[in-house]
Amino acid sequence: MILIFLGPPGAGKGTQAKILEEQFDYRQISTGDLLRKHRREGTALGKEAQGYMDSGKLVPDELIIRMMDSELANVTDVILDGFPRTIAQAQALDALLRAKGLTAGALLFDVPRADLEERLIGRWTHPASGRVYHERFNPPKTTGFDDQSGEPLVQRPDYKAETIRTRLDVYEKETAPLVDYYQDPKAKRLTRLDGLAPIAEVTDRIKKLIAIRPSAA
Ligand code: ADP
Ligand code: AMP
């Protein structure tokens, strides 16, 4: 099953993807995590992507689609977190899945913009695993350190207060049109989720949706 986590930055996609990855056989593919890995390793793609990422803009479709072509070559059960983010990416994904005889369902995380800013400002991450914390809503057991590895947490350097607004604007302009792309009533490919509920409750709802509507979610 290919599950697309759709929603604005800060909606809780990465948090839920990590929980489901640990509890089920899903593998999370986060384009943001992949790009950050390219940057840490200093690859040509990482160097090309960094300016876009630091300013809160999207990395060009062509680079993302090429990266995902190879990432998706052998997958079956996967959560796509942060991809697709444009109509062109969604069309490329559909073509790729069609060729493999697979379909994808999208889960839309609904969270009002005012809440997203607070979530993003208080977010801390563990770079090696992608695990996500929040200083108020989901604090680690020991402040500043990952629960499982004990390694230090970081605040993403590309999430300064001034770029958060750019990211949310970019979402509304370039990614929000995917809601219409996936909500074609005949294909029933989109399911809405109240992302404002506490983390454990959102997880429970996703689990129910996956169980009840395996073809749509
Ligand atoms: P995304 O991957 O959609 O950008 P994240 O999973 O990184 O979002 O979550 C953004 C921040 O909000 C993190 O600090 C996370 O701990 C926190 N968060 C995630 N889900 C919830 C929730 N349901 N309620 C409150 N805070 C949440
Ligand atoms: P994320 O970790 O999903 O918040 O992504 C961090 C940054 O990586 C984004 O702000 C973009 O610059 C870039 N990025 C991640 N995924 C994509 C994508 N599918 N298309 C374009 N840019 C992306």
Side-chain angles (χ1 to χ4, degrees):
M1 194 186 326
I2 310 289
L3 204 50
I4 297 166
F5 278 8
L6 194 61
K13 305 180 298 295
T15 299
Q16 296 298 334
K18 279 286 150 212
I19 295 173
L20 293 170
E21 192 176 54
E22 280 166 18
Q23 297 182 7
F24 296 93
D25 278 345
Y26 279 103
R27 186 159 82 84
Q28 173 206 27
I29 298 185
S30 153
T31 39
D33 283 351
L34 288 172
L35 291 167
R36 281 184 286 279
K37 187 157 177 272
H38 275 280
R39 290 182 64 169
R40 284 199 297 276
E41 291 170 356
T43 67
L45 170 58
K47 287 187 183 129
E48 246 182 294
Q50 69 189 30
Y52 297 102
M53 295 174 77
D54 289 344
S55 61
K57 303 216 173 88
L58 293 185
V59 174
D61 285 336
E62 182 209 325
L63 298 177
I64 297 289
I65 291 167
R66 205 179 323 137
M67 177 177 86
M68 291 306 278
D69 260 353
S70 57
E71 279 298 321
L72 291 172
N74 296 310
V75 296
T76 46
D77 286 328
V78 73
I79 293 173
L80 296 178
D81 169 11
F83 174 86
R85 252 172 158 109
T86 62
I87 298 279
Q89 291 180 19
Q91 288 168 337
L93 174 64
D94 271 343
L96 201 109
L97 294 178
R98 237 189 334 267
K100 288 158 70 78
L102 295 170
T103 52
L107 266 190
L108 174 65
F109 287 61
D110 251 337
V111 178
R113 181 161 173 152
D115 295 272
L116 297 171
E117 296 193 13
E118 188 184 2
R119 284 190 183 185
L120 292 169
I121 288 167
R123 170 163 73 181
W124 289 80
T125 54
H126 176 237
S129 69
R131 272 187 291 276
V132 190
Y133 300 87
H134 190 280
E135 51 200 29
R136 217 177 112 209
F137 305 128
N138 182 28
K141 290 187 187 114
T142 309
T143 305
F145 296 93
D146 178 48
D147 286 351
Q148 290 189 30
S149 67
E151 289 167 357
L153 300 177
V154 299
Q155 270 202 305
R156 289 214 335 230
D158 56 337
Y159 264 87
K160 303 204 169 59
E162 63 271 20
T163 49
I164 286 178
R165 216 161 307 130
T166 309
R167 270 164 217 284
L168 295 174
D169 289 345
V170 165
Y171 172 80
E172 271 160 33
K173 188 160 164 267
E174 304 198 46
T175 308
L178 289 182
V179 174
D180 276 342
Y181 183 88
Y182 284 111
Q183 79 181 349
D184 166 21
K186 266 200 294 193
K188 286 202 180 123
R189 290 207 289 174
L190 186 96
T191 306
R192 282 172 190 271
L193 193 69
D194 171 16
L196 205 51
I199 292 174
E201 218 170 282
V202 178
T203 308
D204 280 348
R205 287 182 198 172
I206 297 175
K207 285 187 194 164
K208 285 194 189 112
L209 284 170
I210 294 173
I212 298 167
R213 305 187 50 196
S215 60

